[in-house]
Amino acid sequence: MRTPFLAGNWKMHKTVSESAEFAQELVRTLSSSRNKLMVAPAFLSLPAVAAVLQGSKILLGAQNMAPEVEGAHTGEVSVRMLKDVGVNVVILGHSERRHSYLESDALVNRKVRLALDHDLEAILCVGETIEEREQGQVEDVVGTQLREGLAGVDPGQLDRVTIAYEPVWAIGTGKTATPQDADAVHAYIRTVLGSMYSTDAAQRLIVQYGGSVKPTNVKELMAMENIDGALVGGASLEIESFAPIALFDA
Ligand code: 13P
């Protein structure tokens, strides 16, 4: 039985005080949820949100991380800095990082291994563009992102890995993959993971869907066999839209 994992990616929204205030509202509202929950504020807001989330059931996520432990890397934030402020989970390989900041699979892989080696959980994001989908390359693209993103990750570390399938064309567009289309890719993700590790490990793995998830579509997505959660952008920014998603109950 896989525990549903509902996560909010706040991207570059909310100031520090807005983030802390919103986190307080989430703690009050979501205490009864039986799901695994996470919010990922911007780097600057992490300490303030960490203080609010302490003792609650909501995990603290970061949206990115440097591929090195420390050094002369202007503008970067290290794994030790994230751990020091209480981050539990880090989102890596988000399509906005891959496409706007040209992050390669090799770079994402260095970050994934570093995060896991430092006992963080990692959400590895994968997903195809509309052109890749139209050219029938979904499995090629997603398979490569998985194999290269997880290269060198030990079987024993896999229980700290979540995969988020986020088709690029569905992010922030209001277009959601149909539950059936999403589920087919999620099933394929399990097949790839099964060939890399074991069927058992692939069955235990949490695979989130991301891309225009809203209170109105979360139920039908979560009803699919291989969809175990959601990585939510826009709808995670307001209590009215995030609470019904986070409180989702099968
Ligand atoms: P939206 O929910 O705004 O489409 O964003 C999804 C996403 O990118 C979450 O990481």
Side-chain angles (χ1 to χ4, degrees), residues 10-94:
W10 296 354
K11 305 193 180 182
M12 201 175 71
H13 294 284
K14 299 189 187 291
T15 63
V16 175
S17 53
E18 288 164 356
S19 298
E21 207 170 299
F22 185 47
Q24 266 161 12
E25 217 175 340
L26 291 174
V27 169
R28 277 195 303 271
T29 313
L30 304 182
S31 61
S32 63
S33 173
R34 284 184 288 168
N35 302 322
K36 180 173 175 177
L37 302 177
M38 182 203 88
V39 292
F43 283 139
L44 268 184
S45 300
L46 286 171
V49 174
V52 175
L53 297 187
Q54 198 153 35
S56 81
K57 63 159 297 155
I58 306 173
L59 297 173
L60 182 63
Q63 300 174 17
N64 185 26
M65 193 190 89
E68 291 88 10
V69 177
E70 62 181 351
H73 303 290
T74 303
E76 291 290 311
V77 174
S78 79
V79 63
R80 291 182 58 235
M81 295 170 191
L82 296 185
K83 287 205 64 160
D84 185 52
V85 298
V87 166
N88 313 102
V89 188
V90 58
I91 300 171
L92 296 171
H94 192 282

Side-chain angles (χ1 to χ4, degrees), residues 2-249:
R2 300 185 289 260
T3 304
F5 183 11
L6 288 317
N9 174 8
W10 296 354
K11 305 193 180 182
M12 201 175 71
H13 294 284
K14 299 189 187 291
T15 63
V16 175
S17 53
E18 288 164 356
S19 298
E21 207 170 299
F22 185 47
Q24 266 161 12
E25 217 175 340
L26 291 174
V27 169
R28 277 195 303 271
T29 313
L30 304 182
S31 61
S32 63
S33 173
R34 284 184 288 168
N35 302 322
K36 180 173 175 177
L37 302 177
M38 182 203 88
V39 292
F43 283 139
L44 268 184
S45 300
L46 286 171
V49 174
V52 175
L53 297 187
Q54 198 153 35
S56 81
K57 63 159 297 155
I58 306 173
L59 297 173
L60 182 63
Q63 300 174 17
N64 185 26
M65 193 190 89
E68 291 88 10
V69 177
E70 62 181 351
H73 303 290
T74 303
E76 291 290 311
V77 174
S78 79
V79 63
R80 291 182 58 235
M81 295 170 191
L82 296 185
K83 287 205 64 160
D84 185 52
V85 298
V87 166
N88 313 102
V89 188
V90 58
I91 300 171
L92 296 171
H94 192 282
S95 65
E96 286 150 17
R97 303 289 325 165
R98 292 178 188 267
H99 296 284
S100 307
Y101 302 95
L102 306 181
E103 291 198 4
S104 64
D105 286 317
L107 180 71
V108 173
N109 176 248
R110 283 167 59 202
K111 297 181 182 195
V112 168
R113 283 186 293 147
L114 195 62
L116 296 174
D117 286 346
H118 285 78
D119 294 325
L120 282 180
E121 286 188 41
I123 297 179
L124 171 62
C125 303
V126 299
E128 80 287 355
T129 63
I130 192 65
E131 293 79 15
E132 290 163 340
R133 173 161 281 261
E134 283 167 356
Q135 287 163 21
Q137 297 171 341
V138 177
E139 294 193 351
D140 260 13
V141 170
V142 169
T144 301
Q145 289 171 339
L146 287 172
R147 285 191 196 91
E148 297 193 4
L150 293 174
V153 171
D154 292 340
Q157 295 179 308
L158 210 59
D159 59 350
R160 276 182 287 118
V161 174
T162 295
I163 304 296
Y165 170 58
E166 299 204 310
V168 179
W169 48 271
I171 295 177
T173 57
K175 290 185 196 148
T176 325
T178 65
Q180 291 71 19
D181 282 350
D183 193 60
V185 182
H186 283 227
Y188 178 70
I189 289 170
R190 268 188 234 290
T191 304
V192 174
L193 269 290
S195 73
M196 292 176 71
Y197 295 94
S198 66
T199 313
D200 247 26
Q203 282 307 317
R204 280 199 305 273
L205 193 89
I206 300 294
V207 187
Q208 296 174 321
Y209 169 80
S212 300
V213 175
K214 302 182 215 56
T216 47
N217 60 21
V218 66
K219 236 189 166 103
E220 53 177 14
L221 286 162
M222 293 294 291
M224 303 309 293
E225 186 184 340
N226 290 292
I227 301 182
D228 312 313
L231 185 55
V232 187
S236 74
L237 297 171
E238 305 290 338
I239 196 78
E240 294 74 18
S241 44
F242 192 56
I245 295 173
L247 292 167
F248 162 84
D249 195 352

